[in-house]
Amino acid sequence: MKKDLYINGEWLKTDHYTELRAPYDHRVIAEIASASVADVHHAIASADRATKVMRKMPAHQRAQILENLAILLREKRDEAATILATEAAKPLTTAYAEVDRTIQTYKFAAEEAKRIHGETLPMDAAPGGEGRVAYMVREPLGVIGAITPFNFPMNLVAHKVGPAIAAGNTVVLKPASQTPLSSLFLAELLAEAGLPAGALNVVTGSGRTVGDQLVTDPRIKMITFTGSPGVGTSIRQKAGLKRVTLELGSNSAVIVDNGVPLDKVIPRCVGGAFSFQGQVCISLQRIYVHEALYEEFVERFVEQTNALKVGDPLDKETFVSALISQGDVQRSLDWIAEAVGQGAVVAAGGTAEGNVLHPTVILNVPVDVKVSCQEVFAPIVLINKIASVEEGIELVNDSRFGLQAGIYTENVHKALDAADELHVGGVMINDIPTFRVDHMPYGGVKDSGMGREGVRFAVEEMTELKLVVFNRN
Ligand code: NAP
């Protein structure tokens, strides 16, 4: 199956195609177009022309297109989930959950399209402002360059394309090389939903070639990037005065205080650590448990980890499947070995079969080994002992990242202290850091990025505030 580029509402051939293989069994699932420099220029020019159409399109029509898209996705839910399971090795149950969230994200975007507004400003608050009426409006930026990662190929694309269209922008989308099929599927659906030609263009191909051009082309007014901190930093350095939103990685942590109900907490933590093989930006990587609960917590956590079904993503029972690449399996094994070399103890997993790394639990992990201080992005979690919530907060904050953090405690004072002191974009009280729904503001501090997604907040990033002052004197 050959997949072409989607530019200006048409499927276009290019000179080079690369094989796309399924991460689980390595079978070839498609041949994907590799965009040339000229192709990217063509896509940007189309998006630039389409800004005139999108800027004038009334809000109700933008909302209707997004609403139509949500309806089409619901009708094609099975097809969408199978694409995700195949190209990303996303276990089917998780894949269906992503499709459902994608539908919600587009519905939120449809609703948001109708309430993008400014405010009025009392000009007479300043001497000399009397007799003037001032109001602000939010205008679309123009062409948005969207660069997306492999781990949520539908919903993280929705978090960029949905708000961009809601606000009247146009998009050139560069999906991750491992997961282009979801974006090409979206292009088909959006055309059917009534989006004008050129308003969404999908250019597949190498991150460096396509990405660099998007980041440096002056016709692109904003780059919205989700991916690794390394690539995010290089984008920021090259983007000049373009607006940039960066949603990057983390080594998210939870604190478990004495006296919390472990029956509820442990299954939630197991899910947060191993869902989609830990390849989630807010995957639970570090668990800090009060010493009074530690032994019991570890024993029950390990038991539940060993019960997780590992295998084929297309099997509905599977909870943990293949990592995205063989290189990531080897890296994970190396990082586990490094931790063990520094005195850590593997309590579950620690081995791989093919591209599947068994869900791994590590204890007594020093703070400076990679499974603790880097983003592990694999089914590996550490459980360390703490003497107090205060110690837990210090450990959570001892990180270059700061996306979300969680704390389980029955003590309201400790909960509110943690909310004050945790240096992250979002604090989850009595939940894991992995909690996210699609309308909440979402994004990080420190090396976890800048700017916020969550539809309303992304719309703010993707619009420009304009002031109008009417002099009645
Ligand atoms: P990645 O390697 O950084 O790739 C992300 C995207 O950037 C891909 O489309 C990639 O294209 C492209 N790219 C690569 N080099 C580029 C360059 N020089 N210029 C412009 N674009 C370039 O990330 P990933 O491995 O796909 O995703 C995992 C990372 O994403 C993790 O760090 C995870 O935490 C982060 N993430 C963050 C969030 C969040 O909301 N904070 C959500 C999900 C994931 P190719 O695929 O062609 O290389």
Side-chain angles (χ1 to χ4, degrees):
M1 180 177 53
K2 249 189 170 164
K3 288 291 195 179
D4 299 327
L5 304 168
Y6 185 71
I7 298 176
N8 202 28
E10 293 178 336
W11 295 95
L12 298 184
K13 302 214 170 306
T14 186
D15 296 339
H16 295 287
Y17 287 76
T18 41
E19 279 182 353
L20 177 67
R21 288 177 180 272
Y24 180 65
D25 53 15
H26 301 290
R27 77 198 146 91
V28 176
I29 45 180
E31 280 181 67
I32 306 293
S34 286
S36 66
V37 170
D39 294 325
V40 183
H41 271 292
H42 184 183
I44 297 173
S46 306
D48 196 31
R49 276 195 306 275
T51 55
K52 294 188 184 69
V53 181
M54 288 304 289
R55 181 178 271 271
K56 290 209 174 111
M57 185 183 280
H60 68 82
Q61 198 178 337
R62 302 195 304 268
Q64 189 60 57
I65 291 168
L66 291 161
E67 192 66 50
N68 294 346
L69 173 62
I71 292 167
L72 286 169
L73 250 181
R74 189 168 301 122
E75 283 168 15
K76 302 194 181 194
R77 190 171 171 266
D78 292 337
E79 193 182 343
T82 308
I83 291 172
L84 285 173
T86 310
E87 70 176 357
K90 183 159 280 201
L92 258 187
T93 37
T94 328
Y96 275 108
E98 180 173 349
V99 175
D100 291 343
R101 279 190 50 193
T102 307
I103 293 167
Q104 281 179 39
T105 303
Y106 285 120
K107 279 189 75 69
F108 278 127
E111 289 158 9
E112 209 54 51
K114 297 181 195 167
R115 53 185 178 226
I116 299 171
H117 60 85
E119 51 187 284
T120 57
L121 194 69
M123 293 303 279
D124 63 353
E130 296 89 340
R132 285 171 170 80
V133 175
Y135 63 94
M136 290 166 268
V137 288
R138 288 205 160 267
E139 294 192 333
L141 293 179
V143 185
I144 309 275
I147 305 176
T148 52
F150 76 84
N151 62 338
F152 286 89
M154 280 193 193
N155 198 30
L156 291 182
V157 167
H159 271 286
K160 302 188 184 308
V161 172
I165 293 173
N169 292 296
T170 67
V171 181
V172 180
L173 168 64
K174 147 66 185 118
S177 292
Q178 180 56 47
T179 53
L181 297 177
S182 300
S183 291
L184 297 169
F185 180 64
L186 166 73
E188 284 172 26
L189 298 189
L190 261 177
E192 203 180 329
L195 190 72
L200 172 71
N201 306 271
V202 184
V203 277
T204 48
S206 116
R208 190 149 298 154
T209 312
V210 180
D212 261 5
Q213 258 186 286
L214 295 182
V215 173
T216 51
D217 192 296
R219 290 168 293 184
I220 295 212
K221 303 301 178 213
M222 172 186 181
I223 293 290
T224 167
F225 172 80
T226 301
S228 57
V231 176
T233 308
S234 81
I235 287 177
R236 185 85 179 92
Q237 282 159 355
K238 288 179 202 156
L241 291 179
K242 271 190 186 54
R243 197 172 289 185
V244 177
T245 297
L246 301 174
E247 300 289 343
L248 310 177
S250 77
N251 58 350
S252 300
V254 71
I255 298 166
V256 180
D257 190 15
N258 194 10
V260 300
L262 291 186
D263 286 346
K264 272 194 194 166
V265 174
I266 293 176
R268 194 86 183 119
C269 288
V270 170
F274 301 125
S275 184
F276 191 38
Q277 293 84 262
Q279 298 168 127
V280 179
C281 44
I282 36 176
S283 190
L284 178 53
Q285 181 173 331
R286 299 179 291 152
I287 306 179
Y288 297 115
V289 182
H290 192 277
E291 56 196 6
L293 293 179
Y294 187 77
E295 306 301 329
E296 185 189 352
F297 187 97
V298 169
E299 189 185 323
R300 291 170 64 179
F301 192 97
V302 167
E303 195 182 296
Q304 290 181 32
T305 299
N306 287 333
L308 296 174
K309 182 149 191 294
V310 169
D312 188 340
L314 292 167
D315 176 346
K316 284 192 175 133
E317 303 293 307
T318 296
F319 194 83
V320 175
S321 188
L323 279 173
I324 203 71
S325 74
Q326 185 58 44
D328 283 292
V329 177
Q330 193 50 53
R331 175 184 60 79
S332 303
L333 292 170
D334 292 347
W335 287 18
I336 294 168
E338 183 212 19
V340 170
Q342 297 297 314
V345 175
V346 175
T351 56
E353 274 170 76
N355 267 14
V356 179
L357 181 76
H358 287 279
T360 299
V361 180
I362 319 184
L363 313 177
N364 305 328
V365 179
V367 288
D368 53 354
V369 299
K370 294 192 189 71
V371 293
S372 177
C373 66
Q374 302 289 325
E375 178 181 41
V376 76
F377 227 59
I380 301 174
V381 67
L382 70 84
I383 312 179
N384 276 6
K385 198 183 287 187
I386 49 169
S388 64
V389 164
E390 292 70 28
E391 184 187 354
I393 292 171
E394 268 182 38
L395 288 163
V396 175
N397 284 343
D398 183 17
S399 168
R400 52 186 276 238
F401 300 111
L403 197 44
Q404 295 199 146
I407 173 166
Y408 282 97
T409 181
E410 300 283 286
N411 182 322
V412 70
H413 301 290
K414 289 186 194 173
L416 290 171
D417 284 349
D420 280 351
E421 287 161 30
L422 288 168
H423 193 200
V424 289
V427 176
M428 305 299 127
I429 294 167
N430 289 331
D431 212 339
I432 48 176
T434 326
F435 176 78
R436 183 181 184 190
V437 287
D438 296 286
H439 62 307
M440 71 189 218
Y442 180 77
V445 299
K446 300 194 266 186
D447 286 2
S448 291
M450 55 198 295
R452 291 292 177 269
E453 289 196 335
V455 180
R456 173 156 83 84
F457 308 94
V459 163
E460 275 176 23
E461 308 263 355
M462 292 178 177
T463 50
E464 192 81 78
L465 199 64
K466 182 189 267 181
L467 170 72
V468 180
V469 182
F470 207 121
N471 184 1
R472 301 178 67 194
N473 295 304

